[in-house]
Amino acid sequence: MIVPPPRRRGWLATSGGLAGAAAAGAVAMVAATGGTAAPAPAAPPVSTARVVRTNLVTTVLTGGTLGYAASRPVVNQLTGTYTQLPRPGRRVGAGGTLFAVDDLPVVLMAGRIPAWRAMGPGISDGPDVAQLERNLIRMGYAAGLLTSPGEAWTAATTVAVERWQQAAGLPVTGQVDLGRVLFLPGPVRIGAPAVAAGDPAAPGQVPYQVTTTARVVVVPLNPVSAPPVTVGERTRVILPSGASAPARITGIGPPTPPATGGGTAQASPGGSGAATTVLIVTPTHLRHTGTGSGVPVQVALATHQATGVLAVPVSALLALSGGGYGLDVVEPSGAHHLVGVRTGTFAGSLVQVAGPRIAAGTVVQVAQ
């Protein structure tokens, strides 16, 4: 034990039996004063831990909004009367009915190129034909007819369309009228309606809002004060319950315009200054994030990273009388000795350390 000179006042650390305080950032010290000493408080219970080599990341929590990613809108191209509309919150995938006009379904098919013409025998080659054939193959209506999609309309295409029309309850014509199929990049989640069953349908109308089925967090950032971030970077989303979910940064770009009731995750207007960019953060386990829209959450963004460093629990640090910190190293024989260390990154319950005779596997004493 380091013993203070008589009648000298100061704070000193012991080299054996004295461990760091349990509170993060706090360290254990012992007081020596002249005169009659007050009874010493009971020493905290201690245990041991090993020095580890690891990566440490410090983070800052930034507010965001959890919801669903934006989707290309559903736009009607038919004239008549709306006779069927899906309920809000429903998921519609390829082959599903988006709505019905005059009691005939408008069907979603997967594709990035919007339909712009009627399709049938005699039309010119085009990517819309390939999109249609790709869907017919995937849904099983081209079995024995087509093995891969092509841009040319063939007799096999006509037969596959007739099979699909019969199964969908459509007139079997072998051709697809403009507006009967809507190509969208993926499944959609139905949002707030703009029309009701019985309302007149006209080309160009958007019968309801939609989003994709992907859960995302939109995080507004002020680029002047925000930490550096990159697409693909791992992070965590802190939910209102306090639970956290792993996630990745999947997009960085300008703010999106406000949604009009479709449940899209939007940048929170408060608390971030003049946000001129937003992060799109995608949770990797969707079931952990619920189904709500507009949910306020926090995202842990990395501010500093130390790779491959030696680290110990913060509660292993001892404050030295001359300043700085030390570790109570426990030898294999059970003997203790105090070793001064330099500290670096603090991350959670761990702190980076470096010093003589400190290596991965070194046993140190810690407060419980």
Side-chain angles (χ1 to χ4, degrees), residues 173-242:
T173 62
Q175 62 183 19
V176 181
D177 296 334
L178 177 61
R180 186 58 60 196
V181 167
L182 296 184
F183 290 110
L184 295 173
V188 294
R189 180 178 181 271
I190 307 303
V195 300
D199 287 351
Q205 288 177 332
V206 176
Y208 46 73
Q209 298 294 319
V210 291
T211 63
T212 70
T213 57
R215 299 283 280 164
V216 296
V217 178
V218 174
V219 182
L221 287 183
N222 184 336
V224 175
S225 58
V229 293
T230 57
V231 173
E233 181 179 330
R234 294 185 180 183
T235 183
R236 299 194 71 84
V237 176
I238 314 301
L239 303 171
S241 65

Side-chain angles (χ1 to χ4, degrees), residues 111-133:
R112 296 193 173 276
I113 302 174
W116 74 89
R117 59 177 178 171
M119 291 181 284
I123 66 169
S124 59
D125 298 354
D128 53 343
V129 176
Q131 281 189 155
L132 176 65
E133 289 188 349

